[in-house]
Amino acid sequence: MHASGGYLAVGWGAGGLAAVLAVAGCGGSGAVPEPQALTGEAACAAVKDFSSAEHKGVITSATWVPAATEKSAPTAATFLPAHCVVQGSLEPRTGVDGKRYATKFELRLPLEWNRRFFFQGGSGLEGTLAPAYGPTGGAKTALEQGFAVVSQNGGHDNADLPAPEAFGFDPQARVDFGYGAIIKTSKAAKSLIADYYGDAIERSYFDGCSTGGRQGMAFAQRFPDEFDGIVAGAPVFDFGRVVAARIWGWQKAAAVVSRDINGMPRFHEAMPQADRQLFQRELLAACDAQDGAVDGMISNVAACTFRPKALLCTGEKTRNACRPNRWVSGKPSWTGRSTPVAPRSRCRAIEPQARSRSAAIASTPPG
């Protein structure tokens, strides 16, 4: 029976058959008993017994979460439904830098499954494994709606690195951050879901923002058949320029803040809380309404003419009136580095199939 009827098949690859045979046993009459599928907590516990040669990975843990015992956030109004939390590691290896690497994933399998799959996009430089609740921006997470939900770490673990960005020293880690980790995770998760429930997935969806948005666009370009729908919010297309712009900003801030006993800049001094509130208030006052709605968001960025230089003090600084002259350098602080750069191609060639299936182009780290 389907999971909604309370019965689950379990395993990954040939392991599912082994589990069924073990339960069925042998009858003295020679008749073959009807296989008894594992259910709920028993099915979840059995997942730990199987590994995947096909996906070069291993299940590291499987934990049953009873209904009404866990929330997706402390402030969440409702508890999560009964589900199995599976964690695994794909293609563990040692990088050229001597550090450990692996694509780690978390897959949450609800008892009452809606036969749909939800891939939860990552964030920032990755390197951590977020709980696979499937935030949707609505009142209920994807898990609460019956989706099987997966998350992943981008192919590296910050705990194994001297700094979050240090994965860049390893060529394969850069590829995994760009697109390798997400396709490995998607394929492995779909395989595990199908074996666990004994049913095919009817619909698959991806949802992510920022780095997650870039991952969604990478799926659309490189693996257009992987999902039935993709939500790619605020995708970070040109990651190289994003990093360069951030370093440029740090350099500007470091020039005007004090140093600690180790000589490191005290970056928090560059924009104290009162100044952040002043900046936000004046920015919204100048540009919020230009998109047709005063809602605390600026959607028509091109029409925004706000300049931080307007906030410079002409006399003594007060808490909410202006910022000291040394903190603001005028237009460059707002627009970033503006030295002309000769145009050059930064995108790989798009495969003909991907080009015909999607107009989305996602820039990825070299590799």
Side-chain angles (χ1 to χ4, degrees):
M1 294 183 65
H2 182 263
S4 61
Y7 297 91
L8 302 175
V10 65
W12 199 345
L17 176 60
V20 171
L21 292 176
V23 175
C26 298
S29 64
V32 179
E34 182 179 349
Q36 300 295 311
L38 299 176
T39 65
E41 187 171 1
C44 186
V47 177
K48 289 186 291 187
D49 297 333
F50 306 103
S51 63
S52 169
E54 177 187 358
H55 299 289
K56 301 179 182 178
V58 62
I59 300 298
T60 55
S61 68
T63 306
W64 181 252
V65 179
T69 59
E70 182 179 340
K71 289 185 175 183
S72 60
T75 57
T78 58
F79 284 92
L80 297 173
H83 65 281
C84 180
V85 183
V86 179
Q87 292 190 344
S89 180
L90 301 172
E91 300 187 8
R93 62 184 181 84
T94 299
V96 298
D97 54 356
K99 306 299 182 182
R100 294 180 299 176
Y101 290 95
T103 295
K104 297 180 180 179
F105 69 88
E106 178 174 290
L107 177 64
R108 299 206 176 211
L109 303 161
L111 179 62
E112 300 292 335
W113 182 45
N114 65 6
R115 299 189 71 175
R116 297 179 180 180
F117 171 51
F118 185 102
F119 194 120
Q120 175 181 313
S123 63
L125 293 176
E126 298 275 51
T128 60
L129 186 59
Y133 299 135
T136 62
K140 290 186 176 182
T141 62
L143 181 61
E144 291 174 279
Q145 297 177 50
F147 287 80
V149 183
V150 75
S151 62
Q152 51 78 53
N153 72 339
H156 60 276
D157 192 332
N158 289 343
D160 295 327
L161 300 172
E165 64 274 13
F167 74 88
F169 288 112
D170 182 77
Q172 183 59 46
R174 296 200 300 271
V175 173
D176 286 341
F177 176 76
Y179 59 88
I182 56 175
I183 188 59
K184 295 173 192 175
T185 297
S186 183
K187 296 296 187 185
K190 287 181 177 181
S191 176
L192 181 54
I193 290 169
D195 277 358
Y196 186 83
Y197 290 113
D199 268 332
I201 298 172
E202 289 187 348
R203 292 286 186 269
S204 298
Y205 301 100
F206 177 94
D207 188 3
C209 184
S210 190
T211 288
R214 178 188 61 77
Q215 292 169 343
M217 301 302 282
F219 268 124
Q221 175 193 350
R222 295 176 178 274
F223 316 104
D225 296 323
E226 196 68 16
F227 295 98
D228 297 290
I230 293 174
V231 178
V236 184
F237 288 111
D238 197 335
F239 195 78
R241 287 195 176 187
V242 168
V243 173
R246 180 171 294 184
I247 293 174
W248 183 88
W250 286 338
Q251 291 173 339
K252 287 292 183 180
V256 296
V257 300
S258 63
R259 306 273 172 154
D260 62 21
I261 58 174
N262 296 315
M264 298 300 293
R266 294 188 174 98
F267 285 114
H268 66 277
E269 295 178 353
M271 183 74 84
Q273 179 66 20
D275 287 348
R276 287 198 298 270
Q277 293 173 344
L278 169 65
F279 185 91
Q280 181 182 33
R281 184 177 69 248
E282 297 300 319
L283 174 60
L284 290 174
C287 303
D288 187 2
Q290 293 175 342
D291 56 14
V294 180
D295 53 6
M297 296 186 292
I298 300 173
S299 298
N300 190 359
V301 178
C304 183
T305 58
F306 174 74
R307 294 292 179 265
K309 193 171 183 179
L311 303 181
L312 289 174
C313 297
T314 57
E316 183 179 355
K317 172 179 168 57
T318 61
R319 180 176 178 82
N320 297 315
C322 63
R323 304 195 71 211
N325 287 336
R326 72 189 185 101
W327 295 134
V328 182
S329 59
K331 185 176 180 180
S333 295
W334 177 246
T335 60
R337 184 180 181 274
S338 57
T339 301
V341 178
R344 62 187 180 89
S345 174
R346 296 184 305 279
C347 299
R348 294 167 177 255
I350 306 174
E351 294 79 7
Q353 180 185 12
R355 186 185 299 113
S356 63
R357 294 295 301 273
S358 174
I361 298 177
S363 297
T364 58

